[in-house]
Amino acid sequence: MNNKIFLRSLLAAGVLGMSGLVLAHGDVTPQAVNTKGLPQLGEEWLDENPYRAPNEHHDLAVEIGSSAYNQNCARCHGLEAISGGIAPDLRELEASYDGDEWYKERVINGAVRDGAVYMPRMADTLSQEALWAIRTYIESEAAKQ
């Protein structure tokens, strides 16, 4: 009898612990990003990352992108851009037109499968400057591998 109570208690603790992980996922509403110091890129989306090295604004873009990534992306894509398996590891994207094309598609359109939103349309809330700064930060993290 005591074993049944213990097992039920253990199961209940496990369920409560897992629910904490789900709640820890947090609010996925994109948070504002201050892009002061980066040149304005306009409304029309560029095809390639404008802040990729050796751009003079590269270091500032990495700094802004780091903060923006942690506020908006890390909860799904992992701290320091190291995926924990919930979402794709963005460090695997090529630092080229092809990687930029995939990135741009996702941040503009989000990711929806069978009506479930896996990633919100980040470009609805964040500026092109902020999103390319995030891409620049991700590329800087990939270079550390």
Side-chain angles (χ1 to χ4, degrees), residues 7 16-17 22 35 58 62 76 79 82 88 94 96 110 137 142 144:
L7 290 174
L16 287 173
V22 170
T35 59
H58 176 266
V62 170
C76 295
L79 295 174
I82 301 169
E94 293 179 40
S96 66
Y137 164 72
K144 294 177 183 178

Side-chain angles (χ1 to χ4, degrees), residues 74-92:
R75 65 182 57 91
C76 295
H77 291 281
L79 295 174
E80 297 177 347
I82 301 169
S83 177
I86 293 174
D89 191 323
L90 300 176
R91 297 172 305 154
E92 300 298 322

Side-chain angles (χ1 to χ4, degrees), residues 65-114:
S66 172
S67 175
Y69 177 90
N70 286 317
Q71 292 173 31
N72 293 289
C73 312
R75 65 182 57 91
C76 295
H77 291 281
L79 295 174
E80 297 177 347
I82 301 169
S83 177
I86 293 174
D89 191 323
L90 300 176
R91 297 172 305 154
E92 300 298 322
L93 291 175
E94 293 179 40
S96 66
Y97 175 83
D98 291 336
D100 291 346
E101 183 178 40
W102 187 91
Y103 176 81
K104 191 171 99 169
E105 166 71 21
R106 284 291 186 248
V107 299
I108 291 172
N109 298 311
V112 178
R113 275 182 249 130
D114 298 325

